[in-house]
mmCIF file of all heavy atoms in Angstrom:
data_model
loop_
_atom_site.group_PDB
_atom_site.id
_atom_site.type_symbol
_atom_site.label_atom_id
_atom_site.label_comp_id
_atom_site.label_asym_id
_atom_site.label_seq_id
_atom_site.Cartn_x
_atom_site.Cartn_y
_atom_site.Cartn_z
ATOM 1 N N VAL A 157 8.436 11.649 38.064
ATOM 2 C CA VAL A 157 9.818 12.033 38.477
ATOM 3 C C VAL A 157 10.605 12.294 37.184
ATOM 4 O O VAL A 157 10.888 11.366 36.472
ATOM 5 C CB VAL A 157 10.505 11.034 39.383
ATOM 6 C CG1 VAL A 157 11.943 11.530 39.729
ATOM 7 C CG2 VAL A 157 9.611 10.796 40.670
ATOM 8 N N ARG A 158 11.016 13.548 36.975
ATOM 9 C CA ARG A 158 11.893 13.831 35.887
ATOM 10 C C ARG A 158 13.355 13.583 36.210
ATOM 11 O O ARG A 158 13.770 13.761 37.357
ATOM 12 C CB ARG A 158 11.687 15.327 35.556
ATOM 13 C CG ARG A 158 12.609 15.832 34.419
ATOM 14 C CD ARG A 158 12.451 17.325 34.237
ATOM 15 N NE ARG A 158 13.351 17.845 33.295
ATOM 16 C CZ ARG A 158 14.610 18.313 33.508
ATOM 17 N NH1 ARG A 158 15.103 18.208 34.765
ATOM 18 N NH2 ARG A 158 15.406 18.816 32.519
ATOM 19 N N LYS A 159 14.151 13.037 35.232
ATOM 20 C CA LYS A 159 15.565 12.794 35.475
ATOM 21 C C LYS A 159 16.233 14.062 35.885
ATOM 22 O O LYS A 159 16.078 15.205 35.232
ATOM 23 C CB LYS A 159 16.177 12.191 34.282
ATOM 24 C CG LYS A 159 17.660 11.908 34.421
ATOM 25 C CD LYS A 159 18.286 11.491 33.085
ATOM 26 C CE LYS A 159 17.657 10.234 32.517
ATOM 27 N NZ LYS A 159 18.414 9.870 31.346
ATOM 28 N N THR A 160 16.905 14.122 37.006
ATOM 29 C CA THR A 160 17.575 15.346 37.507
ATOM 30 C C THR A 160 18.825 15.606 36.673
ATOM 31 O O THR A 160 19.705 14.682 36.611
ATOM 32 C CB THR A 160 17.841 15.237 39.011
ATOM 33 O OG1 THR A 160 18.654 14.075 39.184
ATOM 34 C CG2 THR A 160 16.546 15.100 39.773
ATOM 35 N N ALA A 161 18.880 16.703 36.073
ATOM 36 C CA ALA A 161 20.109 17.066 35.421
ATOM 37 C C ALA A 161 20.216 18.622 35.356
ATOM 38 O O ALA A 161 19.127 19.297 35.264
ATOM 39 C CB ALA A 161 20.112 16.519 33.987
ATOM 40 N N ALA A 162 21.337 19.174 35.390
ATOM 41 C CA ALA A 162 21.377 20.649 35.346
ATOM 42 C C ALA A 162 21.038 21.197 34.001
ATOM 43 O O ALA A 162 21.152 20.492 32.938
ATOM 44 C CB ALA A 162 22.852 20.974 35.645
ATOM 45 N N SER A 163 20.340 22.401 34.060
ATOM 46 C CA SER A 163 20.000 23.090 32.818
ATOM 47 C C SER A 163 21.259 23.811 32.266
ATOM 48 O O SER A 163 21.894 24.552 33.066
ATOM 49 C CB SER A 163 18.898 24.022 33.090
ATOM 50 O OG SER A 163 17.722 23.390 33.428
ATOM 51 N N VAL A 164 21.534 23.629 31.051
ATOM 52 C CA VAL A 164 22.774 24.199 30.390
ATOM 53 C C VAL A 164 22.443 24.948 29.176
ATOM 54 O O VAL A 164 21.594 24.554 28.367
ATOM 55 C CB VAL A 164 23.769 23.089 30.010
ATOM 56 C CG1 VAL A 164 25.010 23.662 29.369
ATOM 57 C CG2 VAL A 164 24.103 22.254 31.305
ATOM 58 N N ASP A 165 22.913 26.216 29.081
ATOM 59 C CA ASP A 165 22.592 26.994 27.938
ATOM 60 C C ASP A 165 23.153 26.519 26.636
ATOM 61 O O ASP A 165 24.321 25.839 26.704
ATOM 62 C CB ASP A 165 23.092 28.441 28.137
ATOM 63 C CG ASP A 165 22.063 29.383 28.736
ATOM 64 O OD1 ASP A 165 20.825 28.933 28.853
ATOM 65 O OD2 ASP A 165 22.383 30.502 29.167
ATOM 66 N N LEU A 166 22.447 26.613 25.580
ATOM 67 C CA LEU A 166 23.040 26.214 24.264
ATOM 68 C C LEU A 166 24.204 27.128 23.945
ATOM 69 O O LEU A 166 24.268 28.329 24.298
ATOM 70 C CB LEU A 166 21.929 26.431 23.239
ATOM 71 C CG LEU A 166 20.726 25.618 23.297
ATOM 72 C CD1 LEU A 166 19.545 26.149 22.590
ATOM 73 C CD2 LEU A 166 21.032 24.215 22.785
ATOM 74 N N PRO A 167 25.235 26.515 23.279
ATOM 75 C CA PRO A 167 26.427 27.309 22.936
ATOM 76 C C PRO A 167 26.071 28.346 21.817
ATOM 77 O O PRO A 167 25.116 28.111 21.054
ATOM 78 C CB PRO A 167 27.394 26.221 22.460
ATOM 79 C CG PRO A 167 26.571 25.095 22.064
ATOM 80 C CD PRO A 167 25.404 25.107 22.970
ATOM 81 N N PHE A 168 26.775 29.459 21.814
ATOM 82 C CA PHE A 168 26.579 30.490 20.830
ATOM 83 C C PHE A 168 26.581 29.902 19.331
ATOM 84 O O PHE A 168 25.816 30.346 18.547
ATOM 85 C CB PHE A 168 27.562 31.525 20.962
ATOM 86 C CG PHE A 168 27.187 32.658 21.931
ATOM 87 C CD1 PHE A 168 28.008 32.900 23.053
ATOM 88 C CD2 PHE A 168 26.062 33.453 21.781
ATOM 89 C CE1 PHE A 168 27.638 33.874 23.929
ATOM 90 C CE2 PHE A 168 25.632 34.344 22.649
ATOM 91 C CZ PHE A 168 26.498 34.587 23.836
ATOM 92 N N ASP A 169 27.529 28.995 19.158
ATOM 93 C CA ASP A 169 27.691 28.492 17.742
ATOM 94 C C ASP A 169 26.642 27.569 17.298
ATOM 95 O O ASP A 169 26.543 27.234 16.101
ATOM 96 C CB ASP A 169 29.060 27.859 17.568
ATOM 97 C CG ASP A 169 29.192 26.606 18.515
ATOM 98 O OD1 ASP A 169 28.282 26.180 19.164
ATOM 99 O OD2 ASP A 169 30.409 26.068 18.607
ATOM 100 N N SER A 170 25.664 27.324 18.179
ATOM 101 C CA SER A 170 24.467 26.578 17.749
ATOM 102 C C SER A 170 23.246 27.537 17.401
ATOM 103 O O SER A 170 22.203 27.091 16.960
ATOM 104 C CB SER A 170 24.034 25.565 18.757
ATOM 105 O OG SER A 170 23.533 26.201 19.954
ATOM 106 N N LEU A 171 23.474 28.833 17.699
ATOM 107 C CA LEU A 171 22.515 29.844 17.499
ATOM 108 C C LEU A 171 22.975 30.984 16.706
ATOM 109 O O LEU A 171 23.003 32.130 17.093
ATOM 110 C CB LEU A 171 21.936 30.371 18.802
ATOM 111 C CG LEU A 171 21.370 29.340 19.817
ATOM 112 C CD1 LEU A 171 21.090 29.926 21.180
ATOM 113 C CD2 LEU A 171 19.971 28.869 19.271
ATOM 114 N N THR A 172 23.395 30.648 15.458
ATOM 115 C CA THR A 172 24.136 31.501 14.623
ATOM 116 C C THR A 172 23.218 32.339 13.781
ATOM 117 O O THR A 172 22.009 32.019 13.615
ATOM 118 C CB THR A 172 25.203 30.790 13.740
ATOM 119 O OG1 THR A 172 24.461 29.905 12.966
ATOM 120 C CG2 THR A 172 26.273 30.083 14.529
ATOM 121 N N SER A 173 23.766 33.433 13.181
ATOM 122 C CA SER A 173 22.952 34.308 12.245
ATOM 123 C C SER A 173 22.712 33.531 10.929
ATOM 124 O O SER A 173 23.505 32.567 10.562
ATOM 125 C CB SER A 173 23.699 35.499 11.955
ATOM 126 O OG SER A 173 23.975 36.302 13.036
ATOM 127 N N PRO A 174 21.671 33.793 10.247
ATOM 128 C CA PRO A 174 21.367 33.153 8.934
ATOM 129 C C PRO A 174 22.404 33.597 7.900
ATOM 130 O O PRO A 174 23.114 34.594 8.044
ATOM 131 C CB PRO A 174 19.966 33.736 8.566
ATOM 132 C CG PRO A 174 19.877 34.949 9.268
ATOM 133 C CD PRO A 174 20.549 34.792 10.591
ATOM 134 N N PRO A 175 22.596 32.869 6.782
ATOM 135 C CA PRO A 175 23.568 33.205 5.775
ATOM 136 C C PRO A 175 23.192 34.455 5.021
ATOM 137 O O PRO A 175 22.040 34.826 4.973
ATOM 138 C CB PRO A 175 23.612 31.918 4.946
ATOM 139 C CG PRO A 175 22.138 31.308 5.111
ATOM 140 C CD PRO A 175 21.858 31.614 6.547
ATOM 141 N N GLY A 176 24.193 35.131 4.412
ATOM 142 C CA GLY A 176 23.996 36.237 3.638
ATOM 143 C C GLY A 176 24.387 37.464 4.389
ATOM 144 O O GLY A 176 24.247 37.688 5.561
ATOM 145 N N TYR A 177 25.022 38.409 3.589
ATOM 146 C CA TYR A 177 25.536 39.668 4.191
ATOM 147 C C TYR A 177 24.336 40.485 4.875
ATOM 148 O O TYR A 177 23.352 40.778 4.113
ATOM 149 C CB TYR A 177 26.243 40.489 3.155
ATOM 150 C CG TYR A 177 26.701 41.809 3.683
ATOM 151 C CD1 TYR A 177 27.766 41.997 4.494
ATOM 152 C CD2 TYR A 177 25.953 42.963 3.417
ATOM 153 C CE1 TYR A 177 28.262 43.207 5.076
ATOM 154 C CE2 TYR A 177 26.375 44.253 3.961
ATOM 155 C CZ TYR A 177 27.537 44.344 4.733
ATOM 156 O OH TYR A 177 27.936 45.489 5.259
ATOM 157 N N ASN A 178 24.554 40.775 6.063
ATOM 158 C CA ASN A 178 23.585 41.590 6.825
ATOM 159 C C ASN A 178 22.155 41.031 6.741
ATOM 160 O O ASN A 178 21.185 41.788 6.729
ATOM 161 C CB ASN A 178 23.583 43.078 6.228
ATOM 162 C CG ASN A 178 23.016 44.070 7.220
ATOM 163 O OD1 ASN A 178 23.307 44.013 8.368
ATOM 164 N ND2 ASN A 178 22.126 45.026 6.748
ATOM 165 N N ALA A 179 22.075 39.722 6.684
ATOM 166 C CA ALA A 179 20.754 39.072 6.582
ATOM 167 C C ALA A 179 19.822 39.381 7.817
ATOM 168 O O ALA A 179 20.364 39.381 8.980
ATOM 169 C CB ALA A 179 20.933 37.588 6.520
ATOM 170 N N PRO A 180 18.569 39.737 7.598
ATOM 171 C CA PRO A 180 17.727 39.931 8.779
ATOM 172 C C PRO A 180 17.618 38.731 9.619
ATOM 173 O O PRO A 180 17.573 37.520 9.152
ATOM 174 C CB PRO A 180 16.358 40.222 8.082
ATOM 175 C CG PRO A 180 16.633 40.561 6.687
ATOM 176 C CD PRO A 180 17.930 39.905 6.342
ATOM 177 N N GLU A 181 17.630 38.910 10.930
ATOM 178 C CA GLU A 181 17.579 37.716 11.921
ATOM 179 C C GLU A 181 16.714 38.175 13.002
ATOM 180 O O GLU A 181 16.151 39.347 13.102
ATOM 181 C CB GLU A 181 18.980 37.387 12.388
ATOM 182 C CG GLU A 181 19.666 38.520 13.111
ATOM 183 C CD GLU A 181 21.063 38.075 13.654
ATOM 184 O OE1 GLU A 181 21.941 37.853 12.872
ATOM 185 O OE2 GLU A 181 21.153 37.992 14.938
ATOM 186 N N GLN A 182 16.417 37.175 13.937
ATOM 187 C CA GLN A 182 15.684 37.480 15.140
ATOM 188 C C GLN A 182 14.287 37.943 14.836
ATOM 189 O O GLN A 182 13.708 38.724 15.503
ATOM 190 C CB GLN A 182 16.413 38.400 16.068
ATOM 191 C CG GLN A 182 17.859 37.962 16.426
ATOM 192 C CD GLN A 182 18.555 39.048 17.182
ATOM 193 O OE1 GLN A 182 18.011 39.544 18.145
ATOM 194 N NE2 GLN A 182 19.869 39.339 16.775
ATOM 195 N N VAL A 183 13.704 37.371 13.739
ATOM 196 C CA VAL A 183 12.393 37.802 13.262
ATOM 197 C C VAL A 183 11.254 37.294 14.266
ATOM 198 O O VAL A 183 11.298 36.193 14.568
ATOM 199 C CB VAL A 183 12.146 37.336 11.828
ATOM 200 C CG1 VAL A 183 10.801 37.865 11.298
ATOM 201 C CG2 VAL A 183 13.269 37.775 10.872
#
Side-chain angles (χ1 to χ4, degrees):
V157 178
R158 176 184 176 272
K159 183 187 295 184
T160 55
S163 295
V164 178
D165 269 349
L166 293 159
F168 274 120
D169 58 13
S170 69
L171 299 168
T172 56
S173 299
Y177 175 78
N178 201 43
E181 60 175 70
Q182 307 175 45
V183 182

